[in-house]
Amino acid sequence: MSNASNSTPKVGFVSLGCPKALVDSEQILTQLRAEGYDTAKSYDGADLVIVNTCGFIDAAVQESLDAIGEALHENGKVIVTGCLGAKKDAAGDDIIQKVHPKVLAVTGPHALGEVMNAVHLHLPKPHDPFSDLVPAQGVKLTPKHFAYLKISEGCNHRCSFCIIPSMRGDLVSRPIADVMLEAENLFKAGVKELLVISQDTSAYGVDVKFRMGFWNGKPVKTHMTQLVTALGELAAQYGAWVRLHYVYPYPHVDEIIPLMAAGRILPYLDVPLQHAHPDVLKRMKRPASGEKNIERIAAWRKMCPDLTIRSTFIAGFPGETEAEFEYLLDFLKEAEIDRLGCFAYSPVEGATANQLANPVPEEVREERRGRVMLLQEEISKKRMQAKVGKTMRVLIDEVEASGGGIGRSTADAPEIDGVVYVKRPFEPHKQLKVGEFVEVEITAADAHDLWAAA
């Protein structure tokens, strides 16, 4: 199936998992393009296929194994990378090699060098790469008006329900000059929203003792507050948004809120709280104390009334009593989190939480998750209804044939939050365009989405 000697070798790509895995995929694709490889749109047109896997929960493991099987069946030459590549079964054997022994190579996550070595071995690179054809911002898998900016790899926490450190390792912060240069290249390329991601954004720089770096000739510490300040200043030059994800509620997060109130970065905090009861948080080995979070949230909203808080919670964690669960519900009633996801606890192979006493039966876990989401529906409806009649800035993601569009406000991260449905503008000369900001008036709301007129 290999191409004729004078044609460009083509690589197919399947990317699964979270935004952090997507950034890994973008880096591999950028390197492939820099070395003169082409990307194939289908299995048929590819000389080789790379599958970037997820291994966080059982459903993701199965999806990844199915994708590898499909690539092997449709193409035959498959290299596997990503989190599942680092995962072993109970016997200590490589999961992927056991299920799919015909794969050419398996690597873990953020393994650009290893992936490229495997590609070179099985599909020699073209002799004349044109690295100048690769844009400075690299090859992106997101729409061109928003992009993810990964500031670190790995995580120093050992939460009992999580196996990410065993797959991605301890925290490794990227040099601040590298992060800022990538951000600048993305803004220059037309990106209007930068989504800052990592396993723990608040811990940026901890591993290098907040080492001093330099950006544009000025000293900048490898620290979340200084990074976010610099990103806000840079974004202002391009009229762009900066959105923060995976922010653990450490005390220094309080320093970020005034930047939000001043419009330097979006008034949006994605804080993975997971629970509210101190005993459950202790069993989870979470790095934050739940009893202080109500006060923190109240203080943040006082500093920045437009703040949107997104969070995730786990219902039915091993040992969770009905009283502890009711405590969580009381917390949610008081905190009124704007955007909330709740998962019924799912035992993940290799997680230490599986050994905890008094596991909660599956039907109780699901029932508790349902109760959280029912409560959240009411909270969300109330908070969304309060936006009707207000004027908001919206970034347009899609334009419909009718002339209307679908966009997002400062409160909406792509793919995980709600959207704003914008009516076709009345004035004939006004048209909605993808990747542009528009001022809209909110006319209606439900529990998740808004409707607006431009």
Side-chain angles (χ1 to χ4, degrees):
M1 189 186 62
S2 109
N3 280 339
S5 59
N6 62 348
S7 65
T8 307
K10 289 187 170 63
V11 179
F13 212 100
V14 179
S15 186
L16 305 168
C18 64
K20 291 172 282 294
L22 187 75
V23 173
D24 288 349
S25 296
E26 290 171 344
Q27 288 170 350
I28 295 166
L29 283 167
T30 297
Q31 189 61 33
L32 286 166
R33 189 67 60 83
E35 293 186 9
Y37 291 92
D38 264 354
T39 49
K41 302 290 182 213
S42 67
Y43 290 123
D44 289 350
D47 298 295
L48 178 149
V49 176
I50 298 172
V51 181
N52 190 2
T53 58
C54 179
F56 184 46
I57 58 172
D58 293 347
V61 170
Q62 195 52 54
E63 183 188 18
S64 293
L65 290 172
D66 290 348
I68 295 163
E70 184 184 348
L72 281 168
H73 181 263
E74 297 292 332
N75 183 281
K77 294 180 78 174
V78 178
I79 292 169
V80 179
T81 186
C83 284
L84 188 58
K87 203 171 180 189
K88 310 288 182 194
D89 64 14
D93 296 324
D94 185 296
I95 287 175
I96 293 167
Q97 297 280 14
K98 208 169 185 179
V99 179
H100 296 300
K102 290 184 178 172
V103 296
L104 301 175
V106 177
T107 83
H110 53 91
L112 176 63
E114 291 172 69
V115 172
M116 293 310 300
N117 287 343
V119 172
H120 297 154
L121 182 64
H122 298 285
L123 186 64
K125 66 178 173 179
H127 68 282
D128 187 23
F130 293 96
S131 59
D132 57 326
L133 296 180
V134 179
Q137 76 274 15
V139 176
K140 293 288 160 193
L141 293 172
T142 45
K144 67 178 184 182
H145 62 282
F146 71 81
Y148 294 103
L149 179 70
K150 185 156 60 168
I151 62 170
S152 62
E153 285 292 355
C155 183
N156 287 346
H157 302 307
R158 294 296 180 264
C159 301
S160 59
F161 55 81
C162 182
I163 55 170
I164 284 174
S166 68
M167 295 188 284
R168 287 188 169 258
D170 285 340
L171 178 76
V172 179
S173 299
R174 290 179 63 197
I176 197 155
D178 291 2
V179 174
M180 292 303 300
L181 180 61
E182 185 178 344
E184 185 175 45
N185 285 333
L186 288 166
F187 288 138
K188 281 179 179 171
V191 163
K192 291 294 175 192
E193 179 180 10
L194 207 53
L195 300 109
V196 176
I197 57 165
S198 66
Q199 299 299 146
D200 179 359
T201 296
S202 311
Y204 178 66
V206 165
D207 55 312
V208 292
K209 299 184 171 59
F210 308 120
R211 177 193 301 147
M212 189 67 78
F214 288 88
W215 167 246
N216 274 353
K218 294 180 192 163
V220 192
K221 273 190 179 178
T222 312
H223 186 280
M224 180 202 186
T225 309
Q226 295 208 13
L227 171 66
V228 172
T229 302
L231 285 173
E233 287 170 5
L234 185 63
Q237 296 169 35
Y238 294 89
W241 283 353
V242 174
R243 189 183 299 277
L244 302 182
H245 285 280
Y246 312 112
V247 179
Y248 281 82
Y250 301 139
H252 65 258
V253 173
D254 296 354
E255 299 164 15
I256 303 294
I257 310 300
L259 295 173
M260 296 179 173
R264 287 309 185 93
I265 56 170
L266 291 188
Y268 180 100
L269 264 188
D270 174 2
V271 191
L273 297 171
Q274 308 300 7
H275 211 278
H277 196 285
D279 293 346
V280 180
L281 287 165
K282 209 174 282 178
R283 292 197 294 276
M284 288 179 167
K285 296 193 174 163
R286 295 295 286 164
S289 56
E291 58 269 39
K292 290 192 184 137
N293 285 335
I294 280 288
E295 288 91 337
R296 303 288 300 290
I297 288 167
W300 291 342
R301 285 192 172 136
K302 197 172 179 184
M303 280 190 270
C304 181
D306 290 334
L307 179 66
T308 296
I309 298 174
R310 148 161 281 285
S311 193
T312 48
F313 291 84
I314 296 172
F317 189 75
E320 182 188 64
T321 63
E322 180 61 29
E324 287 169 344
F325 176 70
E326 293 280 355
Y327 186 101
L328 171 61
L329 292 181
D330 289 342
F331 171 88
L332 296 177
K333 283 173 196 162
E334 198 175 340
E336 292 195 333
I337 305 287
D338 300 85
R339 303 292 197 187
L340 185 144
C342 182
F343 302 92
Y345 173 73
S346 167
V348 177
E349 194 172 316
T352 56
N354 300 337
Q355 275 81 59
L356 290 172
N358 305 315
V360 178
E362 188 177 355
E363 63 273 18
V364 178
R365 282 183 256 149
E366 290 295 342
E367 181 260 347
R368 286 179 182 171
R369 178 192 170 276
R371 282 160 70 191
V372 168
M373 294 318 291
L374 211 58
L375 170 64
Q376 181 58 27
E377 188 89 356
E378 291 309 308
I379 292 168
S380 191
K381 259 187 212 164
K382 182 179 123 185
R383 293 190 74 78
M384 294 292 276
Q385 201 59 44
K387 298 180 181 188
V388 175
K390 291 188 174 175
T391 300
M392 286 185 181
R393 197 169 197 225
V394 167
L395 180 59
I396 300 295
D397 286 335
E398 260 177 75
V399 174
E400 297 167 319
S402 65
I406 301 173
R408 291 177 294 105
S409 72
T410 60
D412 309 307
E415 295 178 0
I416 56 171
D417 294 326
V419 295
V420 183
Y421 295 99
V422 183
K423 276 185 191 166
R424 179 174 64 82
F426 293 119
E427 295 90 337
H429 66 279
K430 270 173 87 176
Q431 279 189 326
L432 300 177
K433 290 179 189 159
V434 171
E436 287 195 355
F437 291 107
V438 264
E439 297 292 320
V440 301
E441 186 184 337
I442 305 304
T443 54
D446 66 12
H448 308 285
D449 303 316
L450 298 170
W451 282 260

